[in-house]
Amino acid sequence: EVWILRRFRDNTLSKTWYGKAFISTYYAISPILVKCFGDTDLFKRFWKAIIDRMIIKLKNKGVDDAPI
């Protein structure tokens, strides 16, 4: 799953200005969110559901999940 997300970041998001902005924002904000809410079950379930759906969509589009 991590490889799929990395490939999506590197091969798709990083190619556009709005993708680069999302990546920068994600890396700035996510550590704070995880520090504040990361131990809560609601937070974990919410984000796991979103990420799981995203991974399924990316796999269906042919994004490779094998290690580089």
Side-chain angles (χ1 to χ4, degrees), residues 22-67:
F22 174 81
I23 293 167
S24 296
T25 303
Y26 171 80
Y27 283 115
I29 293 174
S30 65
I32 297 165
L33 292 175
V34 170
K35 185 177 181 181
C36 293
F37 304 107
D39 289 332
T40 65
D41 287 334
L42 179 63
F43 183 82
K44 290 176 187 176
R45 283 184 302 197
F46 175 79
W47 287 108
K48 181 165 179 13
I50 289 173
I51 292 170
D52 287 347
R53 284 194 305 267
M54 182 186 304
I55 288 170
I56 290 168
K57 287 181 183 182
L58 292 171
K59 275 186 179 182
N60 289 339
K61 288 184 177 186
V63 177
D64 187 16
D65 62 353

